[in-house]
Amino acid sequence: MAQISEFLFQNDGNIVHADNHIDAETGLFLMRVEWELDGFQIPRAEIAARFAPLAERLKMQWRVHFSDAVQRIAIFASKYSHCLYDLLLRNVSGELPGSISLVISNHPDLQTVPERFGIPFHVFPIRSENKQEQEQKELELLAANQTDLIVLARYMQVLGPEFASRYPNRIINIHHSFLPAFVGSRPYHQAYDRGVKLIGATSHYVTEQLDDGPIIEQDIVRISHRDSVDDLIRKGRDLERVVLARAVHLHLGFRVLPYGRKTAIFD
Amino acid sequence: MAQISEFLFQNDGNIVHADNHIDAETGLFLMRVEWELDGFQIPRAEIAARFAPLAERLKMQWRVHFSDAVQRIAIFASKYSHCLYDLLLRNVSGELPGSISLVISNHPDLQTVPERFGIPFHVFPIRSENKQEQEQKELELLAANQTDLIVLARYMQVLGPEFASRYPNRIINIHHSFLPAFVGSRPYHQAYDRGVKLIGATSHYVTEQLDDGPIIEQDIVRISHRDSVDDLIRKGRDLERVVLARAVHLHLGFRVLPYGRKTAIFD
Amino acid sequence: MAQISEFLFQNDGNIVHADNHIDAETGLFLMRVEWELDGFQIPRAEIAARFAPLAERLKMQWRVHFSDAVQRIAIFASKYSHCLYDLLLRNVSGELPGSISLVISNHPDLQTVPERFGIPFHVFPIRSENKQEQEQKELELLAANQTDLIVLARYMQVLGPEFASRYPNRIINIHHSFLPAFVGSRPYHQAYDRGVKLIGATSHYVTEQLDDGPIIEQDIVRISHRDSVDDLIRKGRDLERVVLARAVHLHLGFRVLPYGRKTAIFD
Amino acid sequence: MAQISEFLFQNDGNIVHADNHIDAETGLFLMRVEWELDGFQIPRAEIAARFAPLAERLKMQWRVHFSDAVQRIAIFASKYSHCLYDLLLRNVSGELPGSISLVISNHPDLQTVPERFGIPFHVFPIRSENKQEQEQKELELLAANQTDLIVLARYMQVLGPEFASRYPNRIINIHHSFLPAFVGSRPYHQAYDRGVKLIGATSHYVTEQLDDGPIIEQDIVRISHRDSVDDLIRKGRDLERVVLARAVHLHLGFRVLPYGRKTAIFD
């Protein structure tokens, strides 16, 4: 912390946000520092090169991001439109620090949704026998679009392992339960059957193991015995929208630092 | 609903609370109705007998409770004092519609806690070889005390099956997670390892299957990456206290109607 | 309760939801009962006439609503699109038990928003000297459209008193604070200045007095010292959307029973 | 940040927690850093003196606290025991990083409560004509006890201005509403009359102006039309206990940094 702060101080960097975390268990030190380029002595293009020797000496893993760079987002959806719509609206109203460049689906159902906002929609129907081949095409399309972030907005397919390895900590999924409760399919039905008094939603990075990646954000809403499964689904939709949007917003602001199975959220 | 209301109306019963629930799935109709005895035409002692024919005709399962009857509560605790203390305080300040008549433990550690409030404390050390015998003695003590409700205030033993069968829906446990997540032991450690963003507590009736009985109340509190396991334990204590106390309060007010694996809460 | 239940029972009404509330302070008895028309002995068109004598005898205030009747909604908005968009999306995806028939604004800015969904948009620019005249035109348009419910989706004008008297308990407003804190303008700035640790939103029926009508729903979200006014506005948007949508949903399902300055919510 | 970190780094200080906040509006920079004394090159007694020149050069306001120093707490209470009991229990079970040394009241009612835990209880009956004189005696008692923190645990008197000036940001009050809603007396009655859907509690530092000091912590609980004023009071008690205890815990851990009318919470 001393030396990073000193590096910025020496170069007239005006810090606007700094946060850190010391993980007592692993001894890991995490730091996020955000400063203004106005008045900073090092030209934008040279910052990384000038910082590298210090980082090497301290054996840091590090990245420099520029908050004015527009990150390109690809959304995967299937048949439910609520999360997709929600993200498209935040996109059109400038709420997201990024830009949705395309929508991919395994079904044609939501065709009109992104098109209403002038966003390209691509259908890749997936069956067990063509899954690998279709996913390959999706990966090519994502690469051609210089995709920075993939958001699974209630995408009803499990992605093949190549996705997680190509986009580590850059695929965000929304699961409609407070994980680790109700892993897998039909969590609202599971919740109804168990008679819980609150339902949740969880946004997390996608890893090779289903519903097991680092959690970014969770929230819950109270329910009662009066709520049918349909009520849970309806109440859950609002939760899913908000929990997914918060995660996407945090990620795009470089406020999520994943480490091991966890995340530090520097908000 | 018509005939029960009519029964009360005909006998000048002044209803102060009425609630019901129609479980669409099972076709079950649940109703709770509370009325004043002042002005009621049927003497207290005859209410059940006078209601029985109607109940039989409607094939109801039913019970009559009197809100001025003081229910007798036995608390089981082990080594953690926070839930025990919390209930004792609510008892002494008159917050609970019931009365704690004794505290049972498998350890002597908390001896001074109930004694500070003049409540008898009984130790039944339990080892695998004497468990059945000791539990038999506990059951005798409970019966001798005319126990209406057993509260497991972080009792660290699994009760034998005879308890659940003798006190069906009359044993309340507090589990320190939002069930069904983190069943079993050390849920805060499990939660810490999983990196969840909220922790919970669940109060439920005890059945023969561990942590699986009908849920009465749940709540959560937000945590962050900064929280150590000790922080989770500390924050969880407040949650456990409140979630257990709410369940006990609801139960003592006859506001919990268990059905199947679920509860209707008529609050 | 007895006689209403009896009326339904005698006519083979299958009750699917019944709830009631006894207001201890005023002695008021509120009841909501929902039953199926399948198998009901009284034809739909005659229900009101057949129920009226009983209602008169009991001196009830009462209404019959049919859940398959599509209620017509008019939305008022100004310059913020998030609540308007949210309601339009719920409308297009069939989440609302009603239909948005028109959008009225005092500014042309949001023109494209409802038009994207094929909903007519009407601009009535309002200045102090033409306010009464413009509102008169709005009222005519609303009447011509057989409007059942008016929703103020962050409408930045105070409606004249004729609105509240023509649409009593049928105009829902969203205020971006947990009322009664931060009445009036710029509540997020007020909240920021006061240093609160949570911000809220309140949906309520509009009465002649500003921000004073019966509250339908409220919710809050935690904030911290790190949040700027812009962060409060951003976090508040999600709250406003959900709190307004919940109120509209409850109202359209006839689950809000206003009495005096309060509401009973039969959910 | 750079120079403070450097100071610790040069003296082999092992940082275990560091947090900071840049208040964009006032340009204020707040920092809290916690490090271990094991291995630190500067002896405990000399830290302040060695740090002072740097602090002076940077024009900082600063303090050094030692986490092993036991802070002495005085509690003021009147007639409600729940917050007092709660703090006493946390004290006896070692949950608080501090020690309750005495309890002061303007009524004799709660005499037995602290005495149950061996804590001295002092009664200073206050009437308008003797208020100044009695408060003077209280201040002497507090000084004689080397009081670090005063906690108003539902103390029903407004403290005279000398308290706030002698113990700036060292008197914590619990107010039973989500301030700034329902300032002053009987907030649950105010909340009931207004028909709000959630009630709150607020812990804050005491300043000369009633209920206006910097807020440390707030929380809310949902209520419904079914809840009477007594229910609000009952539900509120749990909220008050927790919100006050959290504030006391944060304060004793030196995690609250007041600035202007606000607090930064470095948790």
Side-chain angles (χ1 to χ4, degrees):
Chain A
M1 183 161 63
Q3 302 195 38
I4 295 168
S5 315
E6 185 65 20
F7 173 82
L8 296 174
F9 178 70
Q10 292 295 348
N11 293 290
D12 297 338
N14 184 28
I15 293 177
V16 291
H17 182 276
D19 204 347
N20 63 75
H21 176 56
I22 299 141
D23 188 65
E25 213 171 49
T26 58
L28 201 65
F29 176 74
L30 301 165
M31 185 172 181
R32 177 192 187 277
V33 58
E34 183 178 339
W35 70 96
E36 294 176 327
L37 291 190
D38 272 14
F40 193 55
Q41 296 300 337
I42 307 177
R44 184 181 178 116
E46 294 174 27
I47 293 171
R50 294 275 294 277
F51 184 71
L54 172 61
E56 200 164 335
R57 206 164 63 239
L58 296 173
K59 294 188 184 116
M60 292 167 50
Q61 289 188 300
W62 62 286
R63 283 199 193 153
V64 175
H65 297 288
F66 295 96
S67 57
D68 59 357
V70 177
Q71 296 170 77
R72 296 173 65 82
I73 307 163
I75 301 182
F76 280 58
S78 291
K79 296 191 164 181
Y80 297 111
S81 64
H82 57 285
C83 285
L84 174 58
Y85 256 134
D86 185 73
L87 291 169
L88 289 166
L89 287 184
R90 290 173 197 268
N91 191 52
V92 80
S93 59
E95 287 184 44
L96 288 183
S99 175
I100 298 172
S101 57
L102 64 102
V103 175
I104 286 175
S105 181
N106 53 333
H107 294 288
D109 306 43
L110 299 180
Q111 175 102 25
T112 60
V113 174
E115 287 182 1
R116 216 186 273 268
F117 297 88
I119 309 282
F121 180 77
H122 302 265
V123 184
F124 294 87
I126 288 184
R127 294 178 308 278
S128 53
E129 67 271 20
N130 75 351
K131 179 159 181 167
Q132 207 175 347
E133 177 193 343
Q134 291 288 68
E135 289 199 342
Q136 209 51 49
K137 287 185 194 159
E138 289 172 353
L139 284 164
E140 282 161 24
L141 179 62
L142 292 168
N145 266 273
Q146 294 158 288
T147 302
D148 295 298
L149 174 67
I150 298 169
V151 179
L152 308 185
R154 297 293 311 276
Y155 183 61
M156 310 293 277
Q157 280 279 329
V158 178
L159 293 180
E162 199 171 343
F163 277 87
S165 64
R166 282 233 216 153
Y167 292 92
N169 293 326
R170 292 200 288 146
I171 309 174
I172 296 177
N173 184 41
I174 180 75
H175 184 76
H176 40 316
S177 81
F178 47 88
L179 286 175
F182 309 129
V183 168
S185 70
R186 295 165 63 88
Y188 292 130
H189 291 78
Q190 293 183 54
Y192 179 80
D193 290 341
R194 181 62 186 90
V196 293
K197 298 301 183 188
L198 43 84
I199 55 169
T202 304
S203 50
H204 63 94
Y205 287 120
V206 171
T207 57
E208 296 202 9
Q209 199 171 333
L210 184 67
D211 299 336
D212 193 59
I215 292 171
I216 304 168
E217 169 67 346
Q218 296 187 292
D219 213 342
I220 58 98
V221 69
R222 293 193 84 82
I223 58 167
S224 84
H225 60 276
R226 298 187 199 282
D227 289 306
S228 64
V229 171
D230 282 348
D231 291 324
L232 301 200
I233 290 170
R234 175 174 57 82
K235 292 183 173 183
R237 271 196 298 256
D238 285 343
L239 212 50
E240 295 163 32
R241 278 189 266 243
V242 168
V243 170
L244 179 57
R246 282 185 202 152
V248 170
H249 196 272
L250 287 167
H251 177 94
L252 292 174
F254 309 108
R255 289 175 179 276
V256 188
L257 276 75
Y259 62 107
R261 280 185 76 198
K262 301 185 183 181
T263 62
I265 306 294
F266 288 155
D267 60 350
Chain B
M1 183 161 60
Q3 303 195 38
I4 295 168
S5 315
E6 186 63 21
F7 173 82
L8 296 173
F9 178 70
Q10 292 295 349
N11 294 290
D12 297 337
N14 185 28
I15 293 178
V16 292
H17 183 275
D19 204 347
N20 65 74
H21 176 55
I22 298 141
D23 188 65
E25 215 171 46
T26 58
L28 201 65
F29 176 74
L30 301 165
M31 185 170 180
R32 176 192 188 278
V33 59
E34 182 178 340
W35 70 97
E36 293 175 328
L37 291 191
D38 271 12
F40 193 53
Q41 296 298 337
I42 308 177
R44 185 183 179 113
E46 295 173 27
I47 294 173
R50 294 276 293 278
F51 183 71
L54 173 60
E56 199 163 335
R57 204 163 64 241
L58 296 173
K59 292 184 183 119
M60 292 166 49
Q61 290 188 299
W62 62 285
R63 283 200 192 153
V64 176
H65 296 289
F66 294 96
S67 57
D68 58 357
V70 176
Q71 296 170 76
R72 295 173 66 81
I73 308 162
I75 302 182
F76 280 58
S78 290
K79 297 192 165 180
Y80 297 112
S81 65
H82 57 287
C83 285
L84 173 58
Y85 255 134
D86 184 73
L87 292 169
L88 289 167
L89 286 185
R90 291 173 197 266
N91 191 53
V92 82
S93 60
E95 288 184 43
L96 288 183
S99 174
I100 298 172
S101 57
L102 64 103
V103 175
I104 286 174
S105 181
N106 53 334
H107 293 288
D109 306 43
L110 300 181
Q111 175 102 27
T112 61
V113 175
E115 288 182 359
R116 215 186 276 269
F117 297 88
I119 310 280
F121 180 76
H122 303 265
V123 184
F124 294 88
I126 288 184
R127 294 177 309 278
S128 52
E129 67 273 19
N130 74 350
K131 178 160 183 167
Q132 207 174 347
E133 177 194 341
Q134 291 287 68
E135 288 198 343
Q136 209 50 49
K137 287 186 194 157
E138 290 171 353
L139 285 164
E140 281 160 25
L141 179 62
L142 293 169
N145 266 275
Q146 294 159 289
T147 301
D148 295 297
L149 174 67
I150 298 169
V151 179
L152 308 186
R154 297 293 311 276
Y155 183 61
M156 311 293 275
Q157 279 279 329
V158 178
L159 292 179
E162 199 171 341
F163 278 88
S165 64
R166 282 233 214 152
Y167 293 91
N169 293 326
R170 292 199 287 146
I171 309 173
I172 297 177
N173 183 42
I174 179 74
H175 184 76
H176 40 315
S177 81
F178 47 88
L179 287 175
F182 309 129
V183 168
S185 71
R186 293 163 65 88
Y188 292 130
H189 291 79
Q190 293 183 53
Y192 179 80
D193 289 342
R194 181 62 186 90
V196 293
K197 298 300 186 189
L198 41 85
I199 56 169
T202 304
S203 51
H204 63 94
Y205 287 121
V206 170
T207 57
E208 297 202 10
Q209 198 171 333
L210 183 68
D211 298 339
D212 193 59
I215 292 171
I216 304 168
E217 169 66 345
Q218 296 187 291
D219 211 342
I220 58 100
V221 69
R222 293 193 83 82
I223 57 165
S224 84
H225 60 275
R226 296 187 201 282
D227 289 306
S228 65
V229 171
D230 283 347
D231 292 323
L232 302 200
I233 290 170
R234 176 174 56 82
K235 293 183 172 183
R237 271 195 300 255
D238 284 343
L239 211 49
E240 295 163 32
R241 278 189 266 244
V242 169
V243 169
L244 179 57
R246 283 185 200 150
V248 170
H249 197 271
L250 287 167
H251 177 93
L252 292 174
F254 308 108
R255 291 175 177 277
V256 188
L257 277 74
Y259 62 108
R261 281 185 76 199
K262 301 185 185 182
T263 62
I265 307 293
F266 289 154
D267 60 351
Chain C
M1 183 162 62
Q3 302 196 38
I4 295 168
S5 315
E6 185 63 21
F7 173 83
L8 296 174
F9 178 69
Q10 292 295 348
N11 293 291
D12 297 338
N14 185 26
I15 293 177
V16 292
H17 182 274
D19 205 347
N20 63 74
H21 176 55
I22 299 142
D23 188 64
E25 214 171 48
T26 59
L28 202 66
F29 176 74
L30 301 166
M31 184 171 181
R32 177 192 187 277
V33 58
E34 183 178 339
W35 70 96
E36 294 176 327
L37 291 190
D38 272 13
F40 193 54
Q41 296 299 338
I42 308 177
R44 183 182 180 116
E46 295 173 26
I47 293 172
R50 294 274 295 277
F51 184 70
L54 173 61
E56 200 165 333
R57 206 164 62 239
L58 297 172
K59 296 189 181 111
M60 293 166 50
Q61 288 188 300
W62 62 286
R63 283 199 193 154
V64 175
H65 297 288
F66 295 95
S67 58
D68 59 356
V70 177
Q71 296 169 77
R72 295 172 65 81
I73 307 162
I75 301 181
F76 280 58
S78 290
K79 296 191 164 180
Y80 297 111
S81 65
H82 57 285
C83 284
L84 173 58
Y85 256 134
D86 185 72
L87 291 168
L88 289 166
L89 286 184
R90 291 173 197 267
N91 191 53
V92 81
S93 61
E95 287 184 45
L96 289 182
S99 174
I100 296 172
S101 58
L102 63 102
V103 175
I104 286 174
S105 182
N106 54 334
H107 293 288
D109 306 43
L110 299 180
Q111 176 101 28
T112 59
V113 175
E115 288 182 0
R116 216 186 274 269
F117 296 89
I119 310 282
F121 180 78
H122 302 266
V123 184
F124 294 88
I126 288 183
R127 292 178 309 277
S128 52
E129 66 272 19
N130 74 351
K131 179 159 181 169
Q132 206 174 348
E133 178 193 340
Q134 290 288 67
E135 289 200 341
Q136 209 50 51
K137 286 186 193 158
E138 290 172 353
L139 283 165
E140 282 161 24
L141 179 62
L142 292 168
N145 266 275
Q146 295 158 288
T147 301
D148 295 298
L149 174 67
I150 298 169
V151 180
L152 308 186
R154 296 294 310 276
Y155 183 61
M156 311 292 276
Q157 280 279 328
V158 178
L159 292 180
E162 200 172 340
F163 277 88
S165 63
R166 282 233 215 153
Y167 293 92
N169 293 326
R170 293 200 287 147
I171 309 174
I172 297 176
N173 183 42
I174 179 75
H175 184 76
H176 40 315
S177 81
F178 47 88
L179 287 175
F182 309 130
V183 168
S185 70
R186 293 164 64 88
Y188 292 131
H189 290 78
Q190 292 183 54
Y192 179 80
D193 289 342
R194 180 63 187 90
V196 293
K197 298 302 184 188
L198 42 85
I199 55 169
T202 304
S203 51
H204 63 94
Y205 287 121
V206 171
T207 57
E208 296 201 10
Q209 198 171 334
L210 184 68
D211 297 338
D212 192 59
I215 292 171
I216 304 168
E217 169 68 345
Q218 297 186 292
D219 212 343
I220 58 98
V221 69
R222 291 193 84 82
I223 57 166
S224 84
H225 60 276
R226 298 187 199 282
D227 289 305
S228 65
V229 171
D230 283 348
D231 291 324
L232 301 200
I233 291 169
R234 175 174 57 81
K235 292 184 173 182
R237 271 195 300 255
D238 285 343
L239 211 49
E240 296 164 32
R241 278 189 267 243
V242 169
V243 169
L244 179 57
R246 282 186 202 152
V248 170
H249 197 270
L250 288 167
H251 177 94
L252 292 174
F254 308 108
R255 290 174 178 276
V256 188
L257 275 75
Y259 62 107
R261 281 185 76 198
K262 301 186 184 182
T263 61
I265 305 294
F266 288 155
D267 60 349
Chain D
M1 184 161 58
Q3 301 194 38
I4 295 167
S5 316
E6 185 63 22
F7 173 82
L8 296 174
F9 178 70
Q10 292 294 348
N11 293 291
D12 297 337
N14 185 27
I15 294 177
V16 291
H17 182 276
D19 204 347
N20 64 74
H21 176 56
I22 299 141
D23 188 65
E25 215 170 47
T26 58
L28 201 65
F29 176 74
L30 300 166
M31 184 170 181
R32 177 192 187 279
V33 59
E34 183 178 340
W35 70 96
E36 296 177 326
L37 290 191
D38 271 13
F40 194 54
Q41 297 299 337
I42 307 177
R44 185 181 179 115
E46 295 173 27
I47 294 173
R50 294 275 295 277
F51 184 70
L54 172 60
E56 199 164 334
R57 206 164 63 239
L58 297 173
K59 293 184 183 116
M60 291 167 51
Q61 289 188 299
W62 62 284
R63 283 202 192 149
V64 175
H65 296 288
F66 295 95
S67 56
D68 58 357
V70 177
Q71 296 170 77
R72 295 172 66 81
I73 307 163
I75 302 183
F76 280 57
S78 291
K79 296 192 165 181
Y80 298 113
S81 65
H82 58 286
C83 285
L84 173 58
Y85 255 134
D86 185 74
L87 291 169
L88 289 167
L89 287 185
R90 291 173 197 268
N91 191 53
V92 82
S93 61
E95 288 184 44
L96 289 183
S99 174
I100 297 173
S101 57
L102 65 103
V103 174
I104 286 175
S105 182
N106 52 334
H107 293 288
D109 307 42
L110 300 181
Q111 176 101 26
T112 60
V113 175
E115 288 181 0
R116 217 185 273 271
F117 297 89
I119 309 281
F121 180 77
H122 303 266
V123 184
F124 294 87
I126 289 184
R127 294 179 308 279
S128 51
E129 66 272 20
N130 74 352
K131 179 159 181 168
Q132 207 173 347
E133 179 194 341
Q134 290 288 67
E135 289 198 342
Q136 209 51 48
K137 287 186 194 156
E138 289 171 353
L139 284 164
E140 281 160 25
L141 180 61
L142 293 168
N145 266 275
Q146 295 159 289
T147 303
D148 294 298
L149 174 68
I150 298 169
V151 178
L152 309 185
R154 296 295 310 276
Y155 183 61
M156 310 293 275
Q157 279 280 328
V158 178
L159 292 180
E162 199 172 342
F163 278 88
S165 63
R166 281 233 216 151
Y167 293 92
N169 293 325
R170 292 198 288 147
I171 309 174
I172 296 177
N173 183 42
I174 179 75
H175 184 76
H176 39 314
S177 81
F178 47 87
L179 287 176
F182 310 129
V183 168
S185 71
R186 293 163 65 89
Y188 292 130
H189 291 78
Q190 293 183 53
Y192 179 80
D193 290 341
R194 181 62 187 91
V196 293
K197 298 301 185 189
L198 42 85
I199 55 170
T202 304
S203 50
H204 63 94
Y205 287 120
V206 171
T207 58
E208 297 201 9
Q209 199 172 333
L210 183 68
D211 297 339
D212 193 59
I215 292 171
I216 304 168
E217 169 67 345
Q218 297 185 291
D219 211 342
I220 58 100
V221 68
R222 293 193 84 82
I223 57 166
S224 83
H225 60 276
R226 297 187 200 281
D227 289 305
S228 65
V229 171
D230 282 347
D231 291 323
L232 302 200
I233 290 170
R234 176 174 56 81
K235 292 184 173 182
R237 271 195 299 257
D238 284 344
L239 211 49
E240 295 163 32
R241 278 189 265 245
V242 169
V243 170
L244 179 58
R246 282 186 201 151
V248 170
H249 196 271
L250 287 167
H251 177 93
L252 292 174
F254 308 107
R255 291 175 178 275
V256 188
L257 276 75
Y259 62 108
R261 281 186 74 198
K262 300 186 184 180
T263 62
I265 306 293
F266 289 154
D267 61 351

